[in-house]
């Protein structure tokens, strides 16, 4: 595991050194040769270490010291390279030197430093070869992990340990007992390790009443990943005297043999811990028709669960334990029977760290019992230092091995570095996905590809972590994308342990910083730092993020040199006076500002490497922006509410420059009053993919929004360049006329459109948009008209539709209308819903009725929505309405889930992360269960909105507090 950080660092370092060579700085004769030698030597040593780690289970001291030595060397090389880049950029900015202006003294110093580094690389190689011990054959670490992590073979999964399992067990039993349709049904139970998937499957398998309805039963583990072995084990359990299938190695023959055993029988088989997609290989072995057979698969991998349950299946996303069940399971293991009447210490912090994970609650409870719970005061200290105890305490071994397995089996070192970066955020903090991806890119964790390349490596890494359920979604967009996320409690403890012990990050909370050489620094919990408790070299810091108050010492940016990421959007004591020194951080790639910032200094244009400038935290303030900022050569994301400060003196020259050099992809967004500004420039930003506009009242000098109309027309022009074009547009016309929208003409293309205006009819271009998949219309008028709504029925490729208004005029969704729609959301004050004809919305999976005044079903017939999976209700609907909807759902042939919002944040209509100001805080319902339905907020099949939500039954006891009304918009 330790080699993962090293290998990731070497990859970053290689890119930077090659970049330095390619820029042809006149550094010194022989620099290129020294740089190439160091890179090759470091790669060879790292490769040898990786191979040894794969061959052996034991991590000997020699091996660990080799890794540590090589890591220190790589970091010193990185420091040398970054200082060169910083000095060259600083000199260019000061216009004191030409591109080849390193002085003779500087060249000599650099040559000496590189020679020293080269010598250290030789010494590291020789030392490793001198002390390496050739190990004998040992069992692979993967097989060892399989044995430790396999819940099926763990005799401690006893009935006595089960808590909160009743509701999920009953729900899945209903699916297992169903006699119709008479087809094979595969039920996938998916979720992170330690949540109780195997225990739940065992409960189903051992159910005596269920067992009698099946002719054949078998339970096998698939942790080994061998499809032939899975089939042989099933065959061995199905017959009393199995044939000599143990000698059969041909997979096709095993499939034939198993099919013969199961033909004309009703069978029930559990395949536990499937870690990769074996289903596509073994599926044909299981007869599918005639007897309502059942297969249950448990897995931690979302894509595996989807593959298994794609046809006539059921995907069950297991949930964490709620607070009540968590406390019950924890105390059951922590508190001896004779002390049950003893006053219990406060367990809130412990339960937060365990985060509803059953295995964590069990093992941490046993650990604290050993420490003397509930009598000993040292239990509180043990809880505070849980991540340190996780490293070596025997009682926490099971939890440790689960976390090690999830980390060590990640597919590449870059992915591991991306996971460890979660340690830069406080516990329980909702992390915006795009904020995270942009910081990964700025750090160099993912390979830099040409602008607009598909797929994006950062997105790919995020999706892999989501697929493994290592990170969990919190807020979800209407287009099924994750908006905010976080890691599970114990996984975060593990991440902190690994990242801090390897000097990957330094976290400062309530104590003095103990680190001399810090690369990534995170301040949490308003932990203001002054010079008395700051004993680190800030010149080496590459990434700084502050949550709360930072203090003067940290905000003294003269002390920094090599910063690449500066995230101060949640720093409370930042103001305009701090920014002048920020402009001298010449290597900065990512800059996010909050606090009391009201303006940007002109010197911001010195940040020539800047990729992201984010001022969304100051969205209530329109920030004046110099035209020079949008000329920054690497700027990709400009986020906030901006207005151009100065009129371009040579507009034609600026437009030509942008046409040839601008890399800007996200402009979200700008404010315009019809005067000159962004509209004249937008059409020349060739790589622009996302635009957000606030239109204000026309200025006295303005003749209208003609320039904006032309800019939008050019932006949405249909270039017929394929279906992967992600262009999206958000327009807010709340305070000005939107007449020009009706003048925009086809051909036009957008994937996503959000309109907030006083619309009485639909602009013609909306229904003519090729490729439109996502549409949100928010009207500040009293109602959305029949004409407007009827026009939307012609959008045949639309997948996600949200309508926000006081009420809707009467209209009918006719047969065959909106044939591709997956999610339909109404946000209304008055319950005025459309009539849905029987063959309309054939593929609709999510129906969201966010109307606090909803009474009963409001004449909505959900039985015509054959594929419906969930109905989402406003948190303020009354108890009788919730019960009515739950009854209607049970009578529906697809039995959709009825969900009730716990908290609503519709500031942007639930679509667009780049429009959000503050993530929604999750409120956990007090009666949630250990395992939940697939439509829970953790759900990844068909997420529908950025809302916290709970099942209807627990929510029946939750009163709706005053002031819960929704004032949403799309923009």
């Amino acid at each position: 595991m330790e080699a993962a950080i090293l290998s990731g660092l070497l990859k970053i370092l290689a890119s930077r050194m090659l970049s330095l060579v390619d820029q042809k700085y006149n550094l010194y004769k022989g620099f290129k040769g020294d740089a190439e030698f160091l890179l090759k030597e470091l790669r060879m040593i790292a490769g040898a270490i990786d191979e040894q780690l794969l061959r052996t289970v034991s991590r000997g001291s020699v091996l660990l010291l080799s890794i540590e030595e090589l890591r220190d060397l790589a970091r010193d090389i990185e420091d040398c390279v970054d200082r060169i880049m910083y000095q060259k950029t600083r000199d260019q900015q000061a216009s004191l030197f030409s591109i080849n202006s390193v002085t003779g003294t500087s060249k000599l110093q650099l040559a000496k430093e590189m020679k020293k580094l080269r010598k250290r690389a030789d010494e590291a190689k020789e030392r490793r070869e001198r002390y390496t011990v050739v190990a004998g054959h040992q069992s692979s670490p993967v097989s060892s992990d399989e044995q430790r992590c396999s819940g099926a073979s763990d005799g401690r999964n006893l009935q006595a340990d089960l808590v909160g399992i009743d509701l999920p067990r009953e729900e899945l039993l209903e699916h297992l007992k169903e006699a119709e349709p008479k087809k094979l049904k595969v039920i996938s139970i998916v979720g992170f390790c330690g949540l109780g998937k195997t225990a739940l499957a065992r409960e189903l398998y051992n159910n005596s009443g269920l067992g009698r309805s099946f002719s054949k039963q078998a339970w096998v583990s698939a942790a080994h990943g061998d499809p032939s072995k899975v089939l042989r084990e099933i065959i061995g359990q199905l017959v009393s005297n199995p044939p000599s299938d143990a000698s059969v190695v041909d997979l096709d023959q095993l499939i034939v043999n198993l099919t013969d055993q199961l033909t004309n029988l009703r069978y029930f088989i559990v395949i536990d811990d499937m870690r990769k997609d074996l289903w596509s290989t073994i599926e044909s072995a299981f007869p599918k028709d005639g007897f309502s057979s059942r297969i249950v698969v448990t897995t931690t991998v979302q894509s595996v669960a989807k593959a298994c349950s794609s046809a006539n299946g059921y995907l069950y996303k297991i949930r964490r334990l709620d607070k009540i069940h968590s406390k019950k399971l924890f105390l059951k293991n922590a508190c001896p029977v004779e002390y049950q009447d003893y006053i219990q210490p406060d367990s809130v912090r412990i339960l937060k760290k365990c985060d509803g994970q059953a295995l964590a609650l069990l093992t941490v409870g046993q650990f604290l019992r050993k420490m003397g719970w509930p009598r000993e005061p040292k239990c509180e200290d043990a809880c505070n230092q849980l991540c340190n105890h996780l490293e070596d305490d025997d009682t926490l071994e099971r939890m440790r091995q689960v976390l090690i397995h999830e980390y060590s089996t990640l597919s590449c070192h870059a992915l591991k570095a991306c996971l460890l970066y979660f340690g830069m955020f406080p516990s329980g903090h909702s992390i915006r996905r795009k904020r995270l991806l942009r910081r990964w890119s700025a750090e160099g964790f993912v390979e830099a590809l040409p602008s607009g390349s598909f797929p994006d490596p950062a997105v790919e890494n995020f999706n892999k972590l989501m697929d493994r359920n290592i990170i969990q979604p919190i807020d979800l967009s209407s287009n099924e994308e994750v908006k905010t996320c976080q890691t599970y409690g114990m996984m975060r403890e593990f991440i902190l342990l690994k990242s801090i012990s390897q000097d990957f990050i330094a976290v400062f909370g309530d104590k003095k910083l103990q680190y001399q050489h810090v690369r990534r620094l995170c301040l949490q919990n308003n932990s203001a730092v002054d010079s008395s408790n700051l004993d680190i070299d800030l010149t080496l810091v590459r990434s700084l993020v502050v949550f709360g108050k930072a203090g003067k010492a940290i905000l003294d940016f003269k002390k920094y040199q090599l910063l690449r990421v500066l995230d101060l959007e949640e720093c409370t004591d930042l103001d305009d006076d701090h920014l002048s020194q920020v402009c001298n951080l010449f290597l900065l790639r990512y800059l996010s500002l909050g606090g009391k910032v009201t303006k940007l200094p002109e010197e911001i244009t010195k940040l020539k490497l800047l990729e992201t400038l984010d001022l969304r935290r100051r969205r209530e303030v329109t920030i004046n922006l110099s035209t020079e900022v949008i000329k920054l050569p690497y700027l990709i994301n400009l986020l906030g509410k901006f207005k151009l400060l100065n009129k371009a003196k040579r507009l034609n020259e600026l437009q030509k420059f942008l046409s040839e050099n601008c890399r800007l992809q996200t402009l979200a967004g700008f404010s315009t009053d019809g005067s000159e500004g962004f509209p004249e420039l937008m059409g020349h930003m060739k790589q622009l993919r996302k635009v957000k506009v606030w239109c204000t009242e026309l200025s006295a000098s303005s003749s209208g929004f003609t320039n904006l109309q032309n800019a939008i027309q050019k932006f949405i022009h249909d270039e017929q360049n394929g279906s992967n074009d992600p262009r999206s547009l958000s327009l807010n016309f709340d305070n000005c006329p939107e007449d020009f929208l009706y003048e925009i003409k086809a051909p036009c293309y957008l994937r996503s459109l959000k309109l907030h205006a006083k619309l009485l009819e639909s602009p013609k271009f909306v229904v003519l948009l090729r490729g439109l998949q996502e549409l949100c219309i928010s009207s500040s008028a009293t109602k959305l008209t029949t004409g407007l709504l009827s026009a939307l029925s012609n959008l045949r490729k639309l997948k996600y539709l949200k309508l926000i208004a006081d009420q809707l005029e009467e209209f009918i969704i006719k047969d065959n209308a909106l044939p591709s729609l997956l999610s339909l959301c109404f946000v209304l004050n008055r319950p005025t819903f459309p009539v849905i004809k029987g063959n309309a919305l054939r593929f609709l999976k999510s129906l969201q009725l966010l109307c606090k005044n909803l009474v009963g079903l409001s004449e909505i017939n959900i039985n015509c929505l054959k594929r419906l999976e969930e109905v989402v209700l406003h948190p303020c609907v009354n108890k009788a309405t919730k019960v009515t909807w739950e009854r209607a759902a049970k009578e529906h042939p697809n039995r959709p889930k009825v969900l009730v919002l716990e908290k609503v944040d519709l500031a942007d209509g639930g679509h667009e992360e780049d429009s959000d100001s503050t993530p929604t805080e999750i409120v956990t319902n007090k009666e949630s269960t250990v395992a939940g339905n697939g439509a829970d907020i953790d759900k990844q099949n068909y997420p529908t909105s950025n809302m916290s939500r709970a099942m209807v039954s627990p929510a029946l006891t939750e009163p709706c507090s005053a002031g819960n009304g929704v004032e949403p918009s799309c923009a």
Side-chain angles (χ1 to χ4, degrees):
M1 291 186 297
E2 293 81 0
I5 297 175
L6 171 60
S7 296
L9 177 59
L10 291 178
K11 189 173 182 179
I12 296 171
L13 184 55
S15 174
R16 293 184 192 173
M17 290 190 75
L18 292 175
S19 174
L20 204 59
V21 171
D22 290 342
Q23 292 185 52
K24 296 181 172 51
Y25 292 133
N26 184 19
L27 299 173
Y28 67 86
K29 186 176 181 180
F31 172 79
K32 181 177 180 180
D34 285 345
E36 291 176 347
F37 171 84
L38 282 171
L39 286 175
K40 290 178 181 177
E41 201 69 5
L42 289 170
R43 285 171 178 160
M44 291 295 291
I45 300 173
I49 290 173
D50 270 347
E51 288 180 4
Q52 188 170 349
L53 286 169
L54 288 173
R55 289 196 305 267
T56 62
V57 178
S58 173
R59 308 298 194 243
S61 58
V62 172
L63 181 60
L64 296 179
L65 287 171
S66 295
I67 295 172
E68 184 177 349
E69 181 181 26
L70 191 57
R71 186 182 68 235
D72 290 343
L73 174 58
R75 285 175 174 166
D76 287 344
I77 297 173
E78 182 190 29
D79 291 344
C80 178
V81 170
D82 283 354
R83 283 195 180 102
I84 294 171
M85 296 181 68
Y86 175 81
Q87 291 166 3
K88 289 298 299 178
T89 308
R90 181 190 61 188
D91 293 346
Q92 292 169 18
Q93 291 292 334
S95 301
L96 296 176
F97 302 97
S98 66
I99 189 71
N100 298 320
S101 59
V102 176
T103 64
T105 303
S106 298
K107 291 179 185 179
L108 182 61
Q109 291 174 343
L110 176 60
K112 288 182 178 179
E113 189 169 354
M114 291 294 285
K115 296 298 182 186
K116 288 180 181 178
L117 293 170
R118 183 166 178 164
K119 182 179 180 181
R120 285 175 59 188
D122 284 332
E123 291 173 349
K125 178 182 178 183
E126 292 172 2
R127 194 162 17 252
R128 183 185 172 278
E129 291 174 347
R130 190 160 58 243
Y131 293 107
T132 295
V133 178
V134 180
H137 177 74
Q138 301 183 51
S139 60
S140 74
V142 174
S143 62
S144 174
D145 285 338
E146 287 169 0
Q147 184 178 11
R148 293 186 182 104
C149 296
S150 176
S153 61
D154 192 340
R156 287 171 286 187
N157 276 333
L158 303 176
Q159 177 68 35
D161 289 332
L162 301 180
V163 172
I165 205 168
D166 295 342
L167 289 178
R169 178 183 57 213
E170 294 306 313
E171 180 178 342
L172 291 183
L173 281 174
E174 287 186 21
H175 285 274
L176 293 171
K177 292 175 180 178
E178 281 179 337
E180 298 293 340
K182 292 186 178 298
K183 294 181 179 180
L184 171 65
K185 187 170 191 175
V186 181
I187 299 170
S188 296
I189 305 174
V190 62
F192 187 59
C193 280
L195 290 180
K197 300 180 300 296
T198 298
L200 178 56
R202 182 67 72 181
E203 281 285 292
L204 301 174
Y205 188 77
N206 291 337
N207 185 278
S208 57
L210 181 67
R212 287 192 293 269
S213 64
F214 293 97
S215 302
K216 297 286 185 179
Q217 289 185 242
W219 175 296
V220 296
S221 171
H224 45 70
D226 182 351
S228 297
K229 187 175 180 181
V230 169
L231 296 179
R232 277 196 297 268
E233 291 181 1
I234 293 174
I235 293 171
Q237 294 183 39
L238 293 178
V239 295
S240 54
N241 295 309
S244 56
D245 284 328
S247 61
V248 177
V249 294
D250 182 66
L251 181 62
D252 292 335
Q253 186 59 50
L254 286 170
I255 290 174
V256 171
N257 292 353
L258 180 55
T259 303
D260 291 342
Q261 294 290 337
L262 297 176
T263 299
N264 297 325
L265 295 174
R266 189 172 191 236
Y267 55 88
F268 177 31
I269 296 171
V270 176
I271 305 176
D272 186 40
D273 202 9
M274 190 182 289
R275 299 177 184 176
K276 61 181 182 179
D277 181 16
L278 304 181
W279 185 247
S280 58
T281 304
I282 66 175
E283 179 181 8
S284 59
F286 303 99
K288 296 178 175 57
D289 297 322
F291 295 92
S292 302
S293 295
R294 298 290 182 262
I295 295 176
V296 171
V297 174
T298 71
T299 180
T300 60
V301 185
Q302 194 76 18
S303 57
V304 170
K306 289 181 180 180
C308 294
S309 299
S310 59
N312 193 41
Y314 184 70
L315 192 151
Y316 186 90
K317 182 67 182 285
I318 195 164
R319 293 171 64 192
R320 296 165 292 155
L321 284 164
D322 71 341
K323 293 180 181 179
I324 294 175
H325 287 118
S326 292
K327 189 170 184 178
K328 181 178 179 181
L329 181 57
F330 167 73
L331 292 177
K332 190 175 186 180
N333 288 276
C335 185
V337 176
E338 60 269 26
Y339 286 98
Q340 287 183 351
D341 295 331
Y342 193 87
I343 296 177
Q344 300 291 320
D346 187 4
S347 58
V348 172
R349 294 183 66 184
I350 302 171
L351 297 179
K352 184 178 180 180
K353 289 193 175 186
C354 293
D355 203 14
Q357 188 181 15
L359 181 59
L361 291 160
L362 188 149
T363 54
V364 171
Q366 293 171 347
F367 165 70
L368 290 175
R369 183 186 185 118
K370 182 179 69 174
M371 300 296 291
W373 184 281
R375 312 175 314 282
E376 295 293 336
K378 62 181 179 181
C379 288
E380 184 175 350
D381 294 333
C383 175
N384 294 336
Q385 301 298 321
L386 189 58
C387 69
N388 296 328
H389 294 291
L390 187 62
E391 185 173 21
D392 52 21
D393 189 272
D394 293 341
T395 316
L396 298 173
E397 174 71 10
R398 294 172 65 197
M399 189 73 251
R400 177 166 59 249
Q401 290 302 328
V402 163
L403 298 173
I404 287 174
H405 175 266
E406 290 302 308
Y407 176 79
S408 62
T409 55
L410 291 174
S411 57
C412 64
H413 297 317
L415 193 55
K416 294 173 182 176
C418 288
L419 177 60
L420 293 181
Y421 199 73
F422 276 85
M424 291 287 285
F425 295 89
S427 176
H429 186 81
S430 293
I431 304 166
R432 289 203 312 275
R433 180 180 69 100
K434 290 185 180 178
R435 179 187 189 185
L436 184 68
L437 301 188
R438 288 162 183 155
R439 281 169 54 172
W440 283 350
S441 177
E443 286 273 6
F445 295 156
V446 293
E447 185 178 359
L449 296 179
S451 225
S453 297
F454 185 83
D456 184 331
V459 173
E460 289 285 287
N461 280 356
F462 183 87
N463 290 341
K464 288 175 183 177
L465 293 175
M466 289 295 305
D467 190 44
R468 293 278 298 268
N469 283 292
I470 293 174
I471 56 178
Q472 58 177 325
I474 301 300
D475 293 339
L476 305 173
S477 295
S478 296
N479 61 1
E480 303 183 16
E481 286 190 349
V482 176
K483 294 181 69 174
T484 63
C485 63
Q486 65 183 24
T487 54
Y488 285 92
M490 288 303 291
M491 176 53 82
R492 185 178 185 280
E493 294 296 308
F494 177 81
I495 288 170
L496 282 177
L497 170 65
K498 296 307 303 177
S499 55
I500 292 176
S501 65
Q502 298 302 310
D503 291 333
F504 185 73
I505 69 171
V507 177
F508 183 65
D510 304 317
K511 299 180 181 179
K512 181 177 179 179
L513 276 169
Q514 300 295 324
Y515 315 95
Q516 288 294 321
H517 305 291
V518 173
R519 262 69 180 180
R520 298 174 187 88
L521 177 60
C522 175
L523 272 72
Q524 303 176 4
N525 305 322
N526 289 301
S527 49
V529 178
D530 56 41
S531 56
S532 64
N533 59 358
L534 183 66
D535 188 23
I536 60 174
D537 184 359
L538 293 177
T539 62
L540 299 177
V541 175
R542 296 333 197 267
S543 185
L544 173 65
V545 56
V546 177
F547 298 90
K549 191 175 181 180
K552 293 182 179 179
I554 288 294
L555 295 180
D556 183 2
F557 293 106
K558 295 191 299 293
K559 299 177 180 177
Y560 300 86
Q561 287 186 0
L562 308 183
L563 268 178
R564 299 170 66 88
V565 172
L566 181 57
D567 191 335
L568 301 176
E569 71 172 65
E570 297 182 59
C571 176
T572 56
D573 53 339
L574 179 73
D575 58 40
D576 294 335
D577 295 336
H578 294 110
L579 298 187
S580 59
Q581 290 300 325
V582 170
C583 298
N584 293 322
L585 301 173
F586 302 121
L587 302 187
L588 208 59
R589 264 80 170 169
Y590 179 100
L591 177 60
S592 182
L593 302 173
K596 301 174 183 177
V597 171
T598 60
K599 59 183 179 180
L600 291 174
E602 292 185 11
E603 293 82 6
I604 197 79
T605 57
K606 293 194 292 186
L607 302 178
K608 299 298 183 183
L609 300 179
L610 196 65
E611 297 171 357
T612 296
L613 177 58
D614 188 345
L615 279 89
R616 283 173 295 174
R617 180 63 65 146
R618 305 295 296 151
R619 192 172 61 175
E620 73 279 5
V621 179
T622 299
I623 303 293
N624 290 323
L625 198 70
S626 167
T627 55
E628 295 300 309
V629 173
I630 57 178
K631 291 172 65 176
L632 290 173
Y634 292 96
L635 189 64
I636 297 173
N637 307 295
L638 185 57
L639 309 168
K641 192 173 184 179
F642 299 101
K643 187 173 183 179
L644 284 184
L645 177 65
N646 50 346
K647 179 180 177 181
K649 296 179 180 179
R650 298 177 180 177
L651 183 61
N652 291 337
E653 289 184 13
L654 178 58
Q655 290 173 337
K656 182 180 179 181
F657 175 87
L658 293 176
S659 297
E660 297 175 353
N661 301 285
C662 184
R663 297 190 181 188
L664 198 63
Q665 296 180 23
T666 302
L667 176 56
F670 67 87
S671 174
T672 178
D673 57 6
S675 58
E676 291 186 359
F678 276 107
E680 286 79 14
L681 305 177
M682 197 176 95
H684 299 273
M685 301 173 183
K686 302 297 185 182
Q687 299 187 38
L688 206 57
R689 290 296 176 265
K690 179 176 288 188
V691 175
K692 182 168 186 178
V693 184
W694 288 272
C695 293
T696 61
E697 293 183 5
L698 290 170
S699 65
S701 61
S702 171
S703 59
F705 288 110
T706 303
N707 290 332
L708 180 60
Q709 176 187 331
N710 293 336
I712 292 174
Q713 183 77 68
K714 191 169 185 178
F715 176 68
I716 69 173
H717 177 71
D718 190 357
E719 299 174 352
Q720 300 287 336
N721 60 351
S723 59
N724 288 328
D725 189 340
R727 272 180 287 168
S728 69
L729 177 65
S730 176
L731 299 172
N732 188 320
F733 289 86
D734 200 26
N735 297 315
C736 63
E738 70 284 344
D739 299 347
F740 78 85
L741 289 178
Y742 299 99
E743 303 299 323
I744 297 176
K745 300 177 176 61
C748 48
Y749 174 95
L750 281 175
R751 180 178 292 181
S752 173
L753 174 64
K754 294 95 181 177
L755 294 175
H756 182 81
K758 300 175 182 178
L759 293 175
L760 297 178
E761 60 181 290
S762 173
K764 291 182 179 180
F765 83 94
V766 174
V767 297
L768 298 175
L769 283 167
R770 185 182 72 85
L772 187 65
Q773 297 182 14
E774 182 182 342
L775 175 62
C776 175
I777 296 181
S778 175
S779 177
S780 52
T782 57
K783 62 177 68 175
L784 289 176
T785 66
T786 302
L788 183 152
L789 297 169
S790 299
L792 301 182
S793 298
N794 298 318
L795 295 169
R796 300 190 60 80
K797 294 185 178 181
L798 193 67
K799 294 183 178 180
Y800 313 100
L801 175 60
K802 175 170 286 185
L803 300 173
I804 306 172
D806 179 67
Q807 61 180 304
L808 307 180
E809 285 188 351
E810 292 184 5
F811 82 105
I812 299 173
I813 303 180
K814 299 179 180 180
D815 286 343
N816 301 316
L818 299 169
S820 301
L821 201 67
L822 300 176
S823 173
L824 176 58
C825 178
F826 299 102
V827 185
L828 305 170
N829 286 324
R830 304 182 188 183
T832 49
F833 301 104
V835 175
I836 302 173
K837 290 296 185 179
N839 202 32
L841 310 179
R842 287 176 294 164
F843 292 93
L844 191 74
K845 294 183 176 180
S846 175
L847 177 62
Q848 302 173 44
L849 308 172
L850 306 186
C851 176
K852 62 183 177 181
N853 298 312
L854 178 68
V855 177
L857 299 180
S858 289
E859 301 182 2
I860 298 175
N861 178 19
I862 61 172
N863 286 328
C864 63
L865 306 174
K866 304 299 184 185
R867 291 178 171 85
L868 191 64
E869 295 187 356
E870 66 177 24
V871 177
V872 182
L873 303 178
H874 193 281
C876 291
V877 294
N878 60 53
K879 180 177 179 179
T881 296
K882 296 171 187 176
V883 172
T884 301
W885 275 101
E886 189 175 39
R887 186 184 304 115
K890 288 182 178 179
E891 295 172 356
H892 189 284
N894 207 38
R895 290 189 299 185
K897 301 301 175 187
V898 178
L899 310 175
V900 176
L901 300 189
E902 291 179 332
K903 192 170 184 178
V904 182
D905 179 9
L906 296 176
D908 71 334
H911 289 266
E912 186 177 0
E913 182 191 329
D914 283 332
S915 299
D916 280 351
S917 53
T918 307
T920 303
E921 180 182 355
I922 298 306
V923 181
T924 305
N925 193 288
K926 66 181 182 181
E927 296 187 18
S928 301
T929 56
V930 59
N933 51 78
D936 172 57
I937 186 62
D938 287 339
K939 174 182 140 180
Q940 296 184 38
N941 323 11
Y942 306 105
T944 55
S945 63
N946 59 328
M947 312 160 185
S948 309
R949 56 195 191 220
M951 291 180 61
V952 65
S953 298
L956 294 179
T957 61
E958 294 293 322
C960 181
S961 60
N964 252 350
V966 182
E967 297 179 3
S969 70
C970 290

